Amino acid sequence: MDNTAAATPTTSRTIRVWDLPIRIFHWLLVATVLVAFLSAEEESALASWHVTAGWVAAILIVFRVVWGFVGGEHARFAQFLKPWQIGHHLTSLTSSVRHRSVGHNPLGGIAVIALLTVVASVIYSGVRTNGDAGEGLHEAFANALLALVAVHVFAVIAMSMLTRENLITAFITGRKRADLHPDVADAHPPMPLAVPVAGIAVGLAAYSIMAADPAAYTPGVRAEAGEGFDRGDRD
Protein backbone atom coordinates (compact mmCIF):
# COMPACT_ATOMS: atom_id res chain seq x y z
CA MET A 1 0.00 0.00 0.00
CA ASP A 2 1.43 3.36 -1.03
CA ASN A 3 0.94 6.75 0.56
CA THR A 4 1.95 10.18 -0.66
CA ALA A 5 5.11 11.51 0.94
CA ALA A 6 4.24 15.11 1.63
CA ALA A 7 5.04 17.08 4.76
CA THR A 8 6.51 15.04 7.58
CA PRO A 9 5.57 16.55 10.95
CA THR A 10 7.21 15.05 14.01
CA THR A 11 5.05 12.60 15.97
CA SER A 12 5.61 9.78 18.40
CA ARG A 13 2.67 7.67 17.23
CA THR A 14 3.62 4.60 15.22
CA ILE A 15 1.92 1.75 13.41
CA ARG A 16 2.84 -1.92 13.54
CA VAL A 17 4.20 -3.19 10.21
CA TRP A 18 6.62 -6.12 10.59
CA ASP A 19 5.84 -9.01 12.93
CA LEU A 20 8.52 -10.32 15.30
CA PRO A 21 9.19 -13.68 13.54
CA ILE A 22 9.87 -11.99 10.17
CA ARG A 23 12.30 -9.58 11.82
CA ILE A 24 14.12 -12.40 13.61
CA PHE A 25 14.30 -14.31 10.33
CA HIS A 26 15.72 -11.29 8.49
CA TRP A 27 18.55 -10.58 10.91
CA LEU A 28 19.38 -14.27 11.43
CA LEU A 29 19.70 -14.68 7.67
CA VAL A 30 21.96 -11.63 7.53
CA ALA A 31 24.19 -13.14 10.24
CA THR A 32 24.16 -16.59 8.63
CA VAL A 33 25.11 -15.30 5.18
CA LEU A 34 27.89 -13.21 6.74
CA VAL A 35 29.30 -16.26 8.53
CA ALA A 36 29.06 -18.29 5.32
CA PHE A 37 31.09 -15.71 3.40
CA LEU A 38 33.68 -15.28 6.16
CA SER A 39 34.14 -19.05 6.36
CA ALA A 40 34.30 -19.69 2.61
CA GLU A 41 38.08 -20.12 2.45
CA GLU A 42 39.75 -23.20 3.94
CA GLU A 43 42.31 -20.95 5.63
CA SER A 44 39.60 -19.03 7.47
CA ALA A 45 39.37 -19.40 11.24
CA LEU A 46 35.65 -19.97 10.70
CA ALA A 47 36.08 -22.58 7.95
CA SER A 48 34.51 -25.37 10.02
CA TRP A 49 31.33 -23.28 10.30
CA HIS A 50 30.75 -22.97 6.55
CA VAL A 51 28.56 -26.04 6.11
CA THR A 52 26.70 -25.38 9.35
CA ALA A 53 25.92 -21.83 8.20
CA GLY A 54 24.55 -23.26 4.96
CA TRP A 55 22.27 -25.69 6.75
CA VAL A 56 20.99 -22.98 9.10
CA ALA A 57 20.27 -20.79 6.07
CA ALA A 58 18.32 -23.70 4.56
CA ILE A 59 16.14 -23.92 7.68
CA LEU A 60 15.57 -20.16 7.55
CA ILE A 61 14.48 -20.41 3.90
CA VAL A 62 11.95 -23.10 4.83
CA PHE A 63 10.60 -20.84 7.57
CA ARG A 64 10.33 -17.85 5.23
CA VAL A 65 8.43 -19.81 2.59
CA VAL A 66 5.91 -21.02 5.17
CA TRP A 67 5.68 -17.58 6.79
CA GLY A 68 4.98 -16.10 3.39
CA PHE A 69 1.57 -17.80 3.55
CA VAL A 70 0.68 -17.70 7.25
CA GLY A 71 2.68 -14.77 8.65
CA GLY A 72 1.74 -11.18 9.38
CA GLU A 73 0.09 -9.02 6.73
CA HIS A 74 3.24 -7.52 5.20
CA ALA A 75 5.19 -10.78 5.37
CA ARG A 76 2.76 -12.61 3.10
CA PHE A 77 3.69 -13.13 -0.55
CA ALA A 78 0.19 -12.20 -1.68
CA GLN A 79 0.59 -8.77 -0.11
CA PHE A 80 3.85 -7.69 -1.74
CA LEU A 81 4.25 -9.73 -4.94
CA LYS A 82 2.71 -7.22 -7.35
CA PRO A 83 5.00 -6.95 -10.38
CA TRP A 84 2.33 -5.07 -12.36
CA GLN A 85 2.88 -2.12 -10.02
CA ILE A 86 6.62 -1.80 -10.73
CA GLY A 87 6.11 0.73 -13.53
CA HIS A 88 4.04 3.02 -11.31
CA HIS A 89 6.59 2.64 -8.53
CA LEU A 90 9.51 3.61 -10.79
CA THR A 91 7.57 6.59 -12.13
CA SER A 92 6.86 7.82 -8.61
CA LEU A 93 10.60 7.82 -7.82
CA THR A 94 11.19 10.53 -10.42
CA SER A 95 8.15 12.64 -9.53
CA SER A 96 8.12 15.60 -7.18
CA VAL A 97 5.70 13.78 -4.88
CA ARG A 98 7.10 10.39 -3.94
CA HIS A 99 5.18 7.51 -2.44
CA ARG A 100 5.96 5.53 0.68
CA SER A 101 5.09 1.86 0.89
CA VAL A 102 3.90 0.52 4.22
CA GLY A 103 5.43 -2.91 3.55
CA HIS A 104 7.68 -3.98 0.70
CA ASN A 105 7.36 -1.83 -2.42
CA PRO A 106 6.89 -3.67 -5.76
CA LEU A 107 10.63 -3.81 -6.49
CA GLY A 108 11.35 -4.83 -2.92
CA GLY A 109 8.94 -7.72 -3.29
CA ILE A 110 10.82 -8.98 -6.35
CA ALA A 111 14.09 -8.56 -4.45
CA VAL A 112 12.78 -10.76 -1.64
CA ILE A 113 12.04 -13.61 -4.05
CA ALA A 114 15.36 -13.12 -5.86
CA LEU A 115 17.34 -13.24 -2.62
CA LEU A 116 15.52 -16.33 -1.35
CA THR A 117 16.03 -18.07 -4.70
CA VAL A 118 19.73 -17.28 -4.90
CA VAL A 119 20.36 -18.27 -1.27
CA ALA A 120 18.60 -21.58 -1.96
CA SER A 121 20.73 -22.02 -5.10
CA VAL A 122 23.92 -21.39 -3.15
CA ILE A 123 22.90 -24.02 -0.60
CA TYR A 124 21.87 -26.59 -3.20
CA SER A 125 25.02 -26.12 -5.27
CA GLY A 126 27.11 -26.42 -2.09
CA VAL A 127 25.46 -29.71 -1.19
CA ARG A 128 25.87 -31.04 -4.72
CA THR A 129 29.38 -29.72 -5.34
CA ASN A 130 31.41 -32.41 -7.10
CA GLY A 131 34.75 -31.50 -8.67
CA ASP A 132 35.95 -28.17 -10.05
CA ALA A 133 32.85 -27.60 -12.18
CA GLY A 134 30.52 -28.00 -9.22
CA GLU A 135 32.68 -25.78 -7.04
CA GLY A 136 32.71 -23.16 -9.76
CA LEU A 137 28.90 -23.18 -9.90
CA HIS A 138 28.73 -22.83 -6.12
CA GLU A 139 31.08 -19.84 -6.22
CA ALA A 140 29.12 -18.29 -9.09
CA PHE A 141 25.89 -18.44 -7.09
CA ALA A 142 27.71 -17.08 -4.03
CA ASN A 143 29.03 -14.13 -6.06
CA ALA A 144 25.53 -13.52 -7.44
CA LEU A 145 24.23 -13.45 -3.87
CA LEU A 146 26.92 -10.98 -2.86
CA ALA A 147 25.91 -8.72 -5.77
CA LEU A 148 22.22 -8.95 -4.85
CA VAL A 149 22.97 -8.13 -1.22
CA ALA A 150 24.95 -5.06 -2.32
CA VAL A 151 22.07 -3.89 -4.54
CA HIS A 152 19.59 -4.55 -1.74
CA VAL A 153 21.57 -2.53 0.82
CA PHE A 154 22.00 0.33 -1.67
CA ALA A 155 18.27 0.31 -2.47
CA VAL A 156 17.28 0.36 1.20
CA ILE A 157 19.56 3.31 1.91
CA ALA A 158 18.42 5.14 -1.22
CA MET A 159 14.73 4.62 -0.47
CA SER A 160 15.27 5.72 3.14
CA MET A 161 16.75 8.98 1.86
CA LEU A 162 14.17 9.52 -0.89
CA THR A 163 11.18 8.93 1.37
CA ARG A 164 12.74 10.35 4.55
CA GLU A 165 11.83 7.13 6.34
CA ASN A 166 14.42 4.93 8.09
CA LEU A 167 13.67 1.49 6.65
CA ILE A 168 16.46 -0.20 8.62
CA THR A 169 15.09 1.00 11.94
CA ALA A 170 11.62 -0.14 10.87
CA PHE A 171 12.92 -3.67 10.38
CA ILE A 172 14.42 -3.60 13.86
CA THR A 173 11.44 -2.18 15.75
CA GLY A 174 8.75 -3.49 13.42
CA ARG A 175 7.06 -0.08 13.42
CA LYS A 176 6.81 3.02 11.22
CA ARG A 177 5.73 6.59 11.92
CA ALA A 178 1.98 6.98 11.66
CA ASP A 179 2.15 10.52 10.31
CA LEU A 180 4.02 9.25 7.24
CA HIS A 181 1.25 6.73 6.56
CA PRO A 182 -2.04 8.53 7.34
CA ASP A 183 -5.18 6.45 7.67
CA VAL A 184 -3.16 3.22 7.81
CA ALA A 185 -3.93 0.84 10.69
CA ASP A 186 -1.66 -1.68 12.37
CA ALA A 187 -0.84 -4.64 10.15
CA HIS A 188 -2.90 -7.79 10.56
CA PRO A 189 -1.09 -10.29 12.81
CA PRO A 190 -0.03 -13.79 11.72
CA MET A 191 -2.76 -16.39 11.29
CA PRO A 192 -3.90 -18.18 14.49
CA LEU A 193 -1.88 -21.36 13.87
CA ALA A 194 1.03 -19.63 12.12
CA VAL A 195 3.61 -20.23 14.85
CA PRO A 196 2.95 -23.97 15.34
CA VAL A 197 2.74 -24.55 11.57
CA ALA A 198 6.05 -22.75 11.01
CA GLY A 199 7.54 -24.57 14.01
CA ILE A 200 6.60 -27.95 12.58
CA ALA A 201 8.08 -27.01 9.18
CA VAL A 202 11.32 -25.84 10.78
CA GLY A 203 11.50 -28.96 12.95
CA LEU A 204 11.00 -31.26 9.96
CA ALA A 205 13.64 -29.37 7.99
CA ALA A 206 16.14 -29.55 10.87
CA TYR A 207 15.46 -33.28 11.33
CA SER A 208 15.85 -34.00 7.60
CA ILE A 209 19.14 -32.12 7.51
CA MET A 210 20.42 -34.04 10.55
CA ALA A 211 19.44 -37.32 8.89
CA ALA A 212 21.33 -36.36 5.72
CA ASP A 213 24.35 -34.92 7.54
CA PRO A 214 24.78 -36.00 11.20
CA ALA A 215 27.52 -33.39 11.66
CA ALA A 216 25.37 -30.58 10.28
CA TYR A 217 25.17 -28.64 13.55
CA THR A 218 28.51 -29.65 15.05
CA PRO A 219 31.27 -27.87 13.12
CA GLY A 220 33.86 -28.96 15.69
CA VAL A 221 33.18 -32.62 14.97
CA ARG A 222 33.50 -31.97 11.24
CA ALA A 223 36.85 -30.23 11.73
CA GLU A 224 38.21 -33.01 13.95
CA ALA A 225 37.22 -35.56 11.33
CA GLY A 226 39.34 -33.65 8.82
CA GLU A 227 36.44 -33.09 6.45
CA GLY A 228 36.66 -30.27 3.93
CA PHE A 229 34.76 -27.10 4.60
CA ASP A 230 32.43 -27.88 1.73
CA ARG A 231 32.41 -31.66 1.73
CA GLY A 232 30.76 -32.71 4.96
CA ASP A 233 27.36 -33.03 3.36
CA ARG A 234 28.24 -35.16 0.38
CA ASP A 235 26.95 -38.68 -0.22
Side-chain angles (χ1 to χ4, degrees):
M1 182 175 181
D2 291 338
N3 293 289
T4 301
T8 57
T10 301
T11 181
S12 59
R13 197 171 79 83
T14 60
I15 55 173
R16 184 176 62 246
V17 177
W18 305 112
D19 59 60
L20 180 60
I22 198 65
R23 286 180 280 142
I24 293 175
F25 156 79
H26 180 274
W27 296 113
L28 280 180
L29 187 61
V30 169
T32 302
V33 169
L34 179 61
V35 170
F37 273 105
L38 293 177
S39 61
E41 299 298 330
E42 291 186 66
E43 298 78 14
S44 170
L46 297 174
S48 62
W49 285 87
H50 189 68
V51 174
T52 299
W55 285 133
V56 172
I59 293 173
L60 290 172
I61 294 298
V62 170
F63 165 81
R64 184 63 184 93
V65 170
V66 173
W67 207 249
F69 295 98
V70 302
E73 178 179 356
H74 298 295
R76 297 175 195 168
F77 298 132
Q79 198 281 333
F80 63 79
L81 282 182
K82 300 176 180 178
W84 57 89
Q85 294 183 0
I86 291 178
H88 173 71
H89 172 65
L90 291 175
T91 300
S92 72
L93 295 179
T94 59
S95 66
S96 57
V97 180
R98 297 189 176 88
H99 296 275
R100 297 185 181 95
S101 295
V102 179
H104 292 299
N105 63 47
L107 276 179
I110 298 300
V112 169
I113 300 303
L115 284 166
L116 293 177
T117 300
V118 176
V119 170
S121 298
V122 172
I123 296 167
Y124 181 79
S125 62
V127 171
R128 290 300 182 182
T129 295
N130 186 12
D132 292 340
E135 186 172 338
L137 180 62
H138 183 59
E139 291 181 359
F141 279 128
N143 289 332
L145 175 59
L146 187 60
L148 271 177
V149 168
V151 171
H152 175 63
V153 171
F154 173 80
V156 168
I157 294 174
M159 288 304 299
S160 294
M161 296 175 64
L162 285 171
T163 61
R164 301 188 186 91
E165 183 172 43
N166 194 322
L167 301 181
I168 296 175
T169 298
F171 233 104
I172 294 174
T173 65
R175 309 188 74 86
K176 290 187 175 185
R177 284 172 48 183
D179 62 302
L180 300 183
H181 301 278
D183 303 320
V184 174
D186 284 340
H188 298 306
M191 294 181 180
L193 295 178
V195 172
V197 167
I200 291 172
V202 166
L204 288 174
Y207 177 79
S208 299
I209 290 170
M210 181 68 78
D213 179 10
Y217 313 121
T218 51
V221 172
R222 190 186 305 281
E224 290 172 6
E227 297 177 359
F229 73 107
D230 215 11
R231 299 179 180 81
D233 45 7
R234 302 290 187 274
D235 296 337

